[in-house]
Amino acid sequence: MDKDKLWQTVLENLKLTLSSANFATWFPQTFLNQIKAVDQTHQIVEIATPSTFVKDTIENRYYGLIKEALDKTTEKKNDLIFVVKQLKQTTKIKKNEKGTLFAKIELKKPSQEAILRAGLRPDFNFETFAVNTTNQMAHAAAMAVADSPGKGYNPLFLYGGVGVGKTHLMQAIGTAVLERRPRINIIYCMGEEFTTEIVDAIRKKTTKQFKDKYRSAKILLIDDIQFIAGKIMVQEEFFHTFNAIWRAGGQIVMTSDRRPDEISNLESRLRSRFEGGLTIDIQDPDFELRTAIVLIKSQQRKIKLPMDIAQLIASNVTSTRRLEGFLVRLATEAKTKNEPLTPELASALLGMTNAETLPKKLVKPKEILGAVANYYGFKNKELLGPRRPKKLALARQVLMYLLRTELKMPLMDIGQFLNNRDHTTVMYGVDKITHFLPESEELRVEMVGIKQKLYG
């Protein structure tokens, strides 16, 4: 059996074990690069992957599964080596293998024009959507809808917080359909845009044109649908639009920041329609997913970002929308100063000391308390006390952040240390500093100063 057929056999075995979303994310751009025989019963197999991140993930997660499949197929003992190497020729992704993290989409001109005409972002596609356990179900459902619009999950209702990928997945559905069928009528709009259009149509007496436009859609993508709640005329029109598209076999996809039953002032008949299909919660991205997002964004912007820097960013910036902003700032800073991208440069922008990655002396909570109080000119008991003037409140939040990030203290323990404050107060303080650090040069300087007092 030649190496290409051998690898296809291994992939078929993996398909039976892994979810379709995980398989589609990690394996389509892999191939068996070479086989080196050690003896008649032992060989070394070199497996090529498209990037360092994919290589590390497959090696750490799926080494055992791949080895088992190879041992069974070859009836030999196989040692695996993973390398980063691209295929010399472009490999088309099969219909059921959409979505590697780093595959490039080469859109034909008609579909590219159709995507732009529909108001979709070409980079919001399945290939650039990073998948893990927090969004795996939503990703799989979106791909199923893209494969067979109007046949299965209809409507598809995606909800979650800011920056979890709702809009990306919704637009990916439209992009995937238009790649195959550029002439299909897809409408994408925000809930606010839908509201504005119906108000203008009533004022200008063009409601017929409005109805014809929306009710003729084969796929309707509505972002932030919660915006129509409480608006009687808008809800009335959307109800009839929804029914017209649904009865004609069209597909409806909606996103919101909350579940249908949590949207206040939403008519019960609309709530019933929204809940009649599949409703999926997309959770906030964990560290692993944030790392993948940083790497994807860096590749899109042609920034060569080492894995250690991507992980450093992901561990300090929790908002996915801020990730891209920080990445742009990091690249701009490196270009302006004519410096390479280094962990030290990233650490400086994040408000960390250059010694951040080196072993630190062991410090205690009281030492961090003293360092923060001393830096900001307060007494220890003031930081632990109930007063909340602006500067004191900020110093207290910095203290919470340092106790959490430097000592890895649980939120409840931090609250107890700060005179029995509620753990939700601590969580808010830590999140606020985490989000503020990449934006505030002043805060980063202050953080460096405090850490120098602690470790200097």
Side-chain angles (χ1 to χ4, degrees):
M1 185 182 297
D2 66 36
K3 62 183 183 181
D4 291 336
K5 289 183 179 179
L6 174 58
W7 188 240
Q8 285 304 315
T9 302
V10 171
L11 292 180
E12 291 299 325
N13 281 319
L14 291 176
K15 280 183 184 179
L16 299 176
T17 306
L18 303 177
S19 70
S20 59
N22 274 337
F23 182 86
T25 299
W26 304 112
F27 288 97
Q29 296 296 307
T30 61
F31 61 96
L32 205 162
N33 192 44
Q34 61 178 328
I35 301 174
K36 298 177 182 178
V38 177
D39 54 42
Q40 290 184 345
T41 61
H42 185 191
Q43 61 186 12
I44 299 172
V45 177
E46 186 174 278
I47 298 166
T49 61
S51 71
T52 303
F53 182 66
V54 175
K55 167 186 168 293
D56 292 343
T57 302
I58 292 178
E59 187 170 7
N60 292 331
R61 285 188 182 180
Y62 306 118
Y63 185 103
L65 286 175
I66 297 171
K67 176 176 168 51
E68 182 182 354
L70 279 167
D71 289 351
K72 181 179 178 181
T73 305
T74 62
E75 297 182 347
K76 293 181 180 181
K77 179 183 177 183
N78 291 271
D79 292 332
L80 312 187
I81 296 176
F82 294 87
V83 298
V84 177
K85 188 173 183 180
Q86 299 285 347
L87 283 167
K88 292 182 180 179
Q89 58 195 33
T90 304
T91 300
K92 293 184 178 179
I93 300 173
K94 295 179 182 178
K95 185 176 180 181
N96 63 345
E97 294 178 350
K98 297 174 186 175
T100 68
L101 285 176
F102 304 104
K104 293 181 180 179
I105 287 186
E106 295 181 5
L107 297 174
K108 294 180 180 179
K109 192 172 182 180
S111 61
Q112 190 171 26
E113 290 175 353
I115 288 167
L116 296 174
R117 190 166 56 246
L120 303 175
R121 284 180 51 173
D123 60 320
F124 274 14
N125 50 62
F126 289 120
E127 285 71 21
T128 59
F129 187 83
V131 184
N132 80 344
T133 53
T134 64
N135 58 25
Q136 181 178 333
M137 184 177 178
H139 176 263
M143 289 184 70
V145 167
D147 280 339
S148 303
K151 305 290 185 185
Y153 309 128
N154 198 15
L156 176 62
F157 192 100
L158 305 173
Y159 73 96
V162 175
V164 297
K166 304 185 299 292
T167 299
H168 190 142
L169 271 182
M170 167 183 277
Q171 292 205 19
I173 292 172
T175 298
V177 173
L178 287 171
E179 285 174 20
R180 300 190 303 269
R181 301 165 60 188
R183 296 190 178 184
I184 191 172
N185 185 12
I186 293 180
I187 294 180
Y188 165 77
C189 72
M190 307 289 290
E192 182 178 5
E193 185 182 344
F194 184 89
T195 300
T196 302
E197 281 195 48
I198 186 60
V199 171
D200 284 346
I202 293 171
R203 181 170 57 84
K204 298 176 181 177
K205 298 181 180 179
T206 56
T207 53
K208 184 180 185 304
Q209 291 92 317
F210 175 88
K211 292 176 181 179
D212 290 343
K213 171 187 172 181
Y214 278 93
R215 297 183 190 186
S216 63
K218 295 298 181 184
I219 298 179
L220 178 61
L221 310 172
I222 300 283
D223 217 348
D224 289 332
I225 191 64
Q226 75 274 3
F227 192 85
I228 73 170
K231 302 172 176 66
I232 297 174
M233 290 293 294
V234 178
Q235 291 188 83
E236 174 80 18
E237 181 52 41
F238 188 76
F239 176 77
H240 294 300
T241 298
F242 184 105
N243 287 343
I245 295 172
W246 189 81
R247 287 195 194 106
Q251 176 71 47
I252 301 155
V253 183
M254 296 169 284
T255 71
S256 174
D257 60 356
R258 69 207 81 165
R259 298 196 314 258
D261 62 317
E262 293 179 340
I263 301 176
S264 58
N265 299 320
L266 183 67
E267 290 183 2
S268 58
R269 59 180 180 172
L270 274 178
R271 184 175 291 112
S272 175
R273 292 291 189 276
F274 293 176
E275 294 174 339
L278 179 63
T279 301
I280 301 178
D281 177 19
I282 306 180
Q283 299 292 327
D284 290 332
D286 57 15
F287 166 74
E288 183 184 59
L289 184 55
R290 293 198 302 273
T291 303
I293 291 170
V294 172
L295 290 168
I296 290 171
K297 296 297 184 184
S298 65
Q299 186 176 17
Q300 287 178 328
R301 292 182 174 275
K302 295 180 170 48
I303 300 170
K304 293 183 179 179
L305 192 71
M307 172 62 77
D308 57 345
I309 299 179
Q311 291 176 333
L312 182 64
I313 296 171
S315 64
N316 286 275
V317 182
T318 57
S319 166
T320 53
R321 292 190 177 176
R322 292 179 188 272
L323 285 175
E324 186 168 12
F326 180 81
L327 182 63
V328 172
R329 179 171 184 185
L330 177 63
T332 303
E333 190 84 6
K335 186 175 180 180
T336 301
K337 294 182 177 180
N338 196 25
E339 295 179 3
L341 290 176
T342 62
E344 289 73 25
L345 178 59
S347 296
L349 291 179
L350 287 165
M352 300 161 63
T353 65
N354 289 339
E356 197 70 33
T357 57
L358 300 177
K360 299 173 182 176
K361 69 177 184 180
L362 184 64
V363 296
K364 297 179 180 179
K366 286 186 178 180
E367 292 179 81
I368 295 181
L369 169 63
V372 174
N374 180 267
Y375 187 88
Y376 286 106
F378 294 113
K379 296 180 180 178
N380 288 7
K381 64 180 181 180
E382 289 182 285
L383 285 180
L384 300 177
R387 294 180 60 237
R388 297 174 61 186
K390 188 174 181 179
K391 187 176 179 182
L392 179 60
L394 176 64
R396 192 176 290 130
Q397 288 167 344
V398 168
L399 172 60
M400 294 173 182
Y401 174 83
L402 290 172
L403 290 172
R404 180 68 168 165
T405 57
E406 298 299 300
L407 302 186
K408 312 300 180 188
M409 285 179 64
L411 296 174
M412 294 187 71
D413 289 356
I414 296 174
Q416 189 175 10
F417 177 73
L418 297 176
N419 277 348
N420 295 318
R421 282 181 164 81
D422 190 88
H423 75 280
T424 57
T425 302
V426 177
M427 184 188 303
Y428 172 80
V430 173
D431 286 346
K432 183 176 179 181
I433 298 300
T434 301
H435 293 157
F436 196 35
L437 263 176
E439 298 179 347
S440 173
E441 183 176 353
E442 182 181 356
L443 182 59
R444 289 196 299 274
V445 170
E446 292 173 358
M447 197 69 72
V448 170
I450 294 167
K451 290 182 180 180
Q452 285 174 343
K453 287 181 178 294
L454 276 173
Y455 304 117

